[in-house]
Amino acid sequence: GNTSKVPRWAIAYKYPPEEKETVLRDIEVSVGRTGRITPTAIFDNIRLCGTNVSRATLHNQDYIDNLEVGIGDTIVVYKSGEIIPKIKEVNKSKRPSSWVKFTLPDVCPACGHKTVREKDSADVKCINPSCPAQKERKIINFVSRDAMDIKGFGDKYVVELINKGYLNNITDIYRLKNHREELIEKGIIGKEKNTDKLLDAIENSKNNEPWMLLTGLGIPQIGKNVSKTILNRFKSFEALINASVDELKETDDIGEVSAVELYQYFHNEENADILMTLKDEGLNMTAGEQTNESNIFEGLTFVITGTLPGMDRKQAENIITSNGGKVTGSVSKKTNYLLAGENAGSKLDKANSLGITVISEAELLSMLENTK
């Protein structure tokens, strides 16, 4: 048979990915919001799958060790899924005589604090809570679209406001209104109109659903979908803060690691002060009663990929969740449906390999229509 776009009887054969050699010129080391040190390869520009490529992640020290890569090496680069640049291997026959294998620094490149490698992990981290790079990434995450979604609060403004001393942590975002005249005078955000527009967006964000705040806190292992699940069960930050590790583990999608991360975050004195300040500033910390349009998708897990013809992914996600379903970011054996649009890519391939039902936007809407 056929779906609206895909013949079920057909087999797709993929061409091997395009590969090109280039020279690794540098390895840039950056610090994320959790303190994780990430190395990025910088190499001579090459053309792959129609775009110019000059950077690719090296992930961690184990990945570097397995590749045996160092600055000056000739490397083979390809695009995974014709999208993400990756280093396949090193051409050791072209290795320079002065070659040295790259090793991640034992001090943080942002603050100079000693780094540590986590037990049973490949990650090397800076554990300095005052690290400026972590501070910057935490605030950028907080205002981002997947968290508090403060419109117009771009990375450039965050960096500038930190550099000028207006932002030290996420609570300072809600105190920017006290510096309105200074901000306008210095033109950090822009003139009066732009400054007021951003300050209004910050004020409006206080009414966001509490799962958005939980996402914005940047707790390891706790992303957008998990935050929704947690607040759907506990309803308020007060109940969440008072929950034990065992109670947290009883929540769908929460395992031992995530439960411990949550518990430790809420029982850290500094974090408790931040949450109290956010509460005093008037942020919404209690979820309202969730009323679904229907329960047609109850117990079903969807993944969305590609470009849909009549709606964006956020609209599709709202349709699914408001009818009892759950949307996750990756395809697994637990996925019931893959909602696929144009240029679906590797998620479609994985869904087909696992025998997961692939539907179009029209079929999703038809499923809803059949219940009315």
Side-chain angles (χ1 to χ4, degrees):
N2 293 65
T3 68
S4 62
K5 295 185 179 181
V6 181
R8 297 185 187 279
W9 45 266
I11 298 174
Y13 290 92
K14 297 182 75 172
Y15 289 104
E18 182 183 9
E19 299 175 355
K20 285 187 180 177
E21 283 193 350
T22 184
V23 178
L24 178 62
R25 297 299 181 186
D26 195 11
I27 296 178
E28 184 181 276
V29 180
S30 60
V31 185
R33 61 180 170 81
T34 62
R36 183 173 180 266
I37 310 292
T38 303
T40 302
I42 313 297
F43 44 81
D44 289 342
N45 187 68
I46 51 175
R47 189 85 176 167
L48 278 177
C49 301
T51 63
N52 294 320
V53 178
S54 60
R55 301 165 67 91
T57 182
L58 287 169
H59 300 290
N60 52 53
Q61 189 64 55
D62 286 353
Y63 188 83
I64 292 169
D65 292 344
N66 290 335
L67 280 174
E68 293 184 59
V69 66
I71 295 170
D73 267 329
T74 297
I75 55 177
V76 178
V77 182
Y78 71 103
K79 277 189 173 181
S80 176
E82 298 192 354
I83 296 172
I84 302 169
K86 285 192 176 181
I87 297 174
K88 179 182 180 183
E89 59 189 2
V90 175
N91 186 341
K92 295 177 183 176
S93 66
K94 297 183 179 181
R95 175 164 282 170
S97 58
S98 59
W99 179 85
V100 177
K101 187 179 75 175
F102 182 81
T103 303
L104 286 172
D106 58 4
V107 295
C108 173
C111 69
H113 196 279
K114 190 170 178 60
T115 59
V116 298
R117 178 161 178 168
E118 291 190 320
K119 187 180 178 182
D120 301 324
S121 169
D123 292 341
V124 174
K125 286 189 173 183
C126 169
I127 55 173
N128 175 16
S130 302
C131 176
Q134 292 182 56
K135 180 199 303 183
E136 181 182 304
R137 297 310 308 173
K138 283 175 181 176
I139 296 174
I140 288 172
N141 171 70
F142 186 85
V143 303
S144 69
R145 184 173 61 179
D146 282 340
M148 290 297 281
D149 194 20
I150 301 179
K151 299 287 192 296
F153 210 151
D155 297 3
K156 180 182 174 183
Y157 292 152
V158 171
V159 173
E160 188 69 12
L161 288 164
I162 290 173
N163 291 339
K164 298 290 186 183
Y166 290 101
L167 294 181
N168 188 54
N169 62 44
I170 57 176
T171 62
D172 291 331
I173 292 169
Y174 295 94
R175 295 171 179 146
L176 286 174
K177 60 189 177 186
N178 301 330
H179 306 286
R180 177 181 177 274
E181 301 304 325
E182 292 175 43
L183 294 173
I184 293 171
E185 185 180 338
K186 294 178 181 178
I188 296 173
I189 300 168
K191 297 300 180 184
E192 186 173 346
K193 183 178 179 182
N194 279 352
T195 301
D196 284 341
K197 191 174 180 181
L198 180 56
L199 293 177
D200 286 344
I202 291 170
E203 195 65 23
N204 291 336
S205 73
K206 292 179 179 181
N207 300 317
N208 285 350
E209 289 291 324
W211 67 260
M212 300 173 75
L213 174 57
L214 182 58
T215 307
L217 296 177
I219 303 170
Q221 311 295 327
I222 310 300
K224 179 174 70 172
N225 291 320
V226 174
S227 294
K228 288 180 179 179
T229 303
I230 291 169
L231 265 303
N232 191 39
R233 181 188 174 202
F234 287 96
K235 304 301 182 186
S236 72
F237 268 78
E238 183 180 359
L240 185 55
I241 291 166
N242 291 324
S244 66
V245 172
D246 288 338
E247 288 173 323
L248 291 168
K249 282 163 58 179
E250 291 171 3
T251 308
D252 290 343
D253 300 330
I254 297 291
E256 178 77 30
V257 174
S258 300
V260 170
E261 289 282 6
L262 273 167
Y263 185 86
Q264 290 179 342
Y265 182 91
F266 289 125
H267 290 80
N268 174 283
E269 189 176 340
E270 185 179 342
N271 295 333
D273 289 342
I274 287 173
L275 287 169
M276 183 59 67
T277 302
L278 292 174
K279 183 178 180 181
D280 291 343
E281 287 290 340
L283 272 73
N284 178 25
M285 293 189 170
T286 303
E289 286 299 318
Q290 186 175 351
T291 55
N292 290 341
E293 293 178 18
S294 78
N295 291 317
I296 181 64
F297 297 143
E298 188 173 357
L300 299 177
T301 299
F302 291 74
V303 173
I304 306 170
T305 187
T307 304
L308 302 173
M311 64 180 79
D312 60 32
R313 293 191 195 185
K314 198 163 188 177
Q315 289 172 311
E317 182 177 338
N318 288 338
I319 288 174
I320 292 166
T321 55
S322 64
N323 286 279
K326 183 169 72 171
V327 177
T328 62
S330 57
V331 176
S332 70
K333 290 179 181 178
K334 294 181 179 179
T335 305
N336 300 105
Y337 292 99
L338 178 73
L339 174 58
E342 295 292 336
N343 303 315
S346 59
K347 288 181 182 178
L348 178 59
D349 296 335
K350 187 170 183 180
N352 286 329
S353 70
L354 293 173
I356 291 164
T357 304
V358 179
I359 61 172
S360 65
E361 178 188 312
E363 287 172 306
L364 175 72
L365 297 176
S366 177
M367 290 166 72
L368 287 173
E369 196 64 34
N370 291 337
T371 66
K372 295 178 180 179

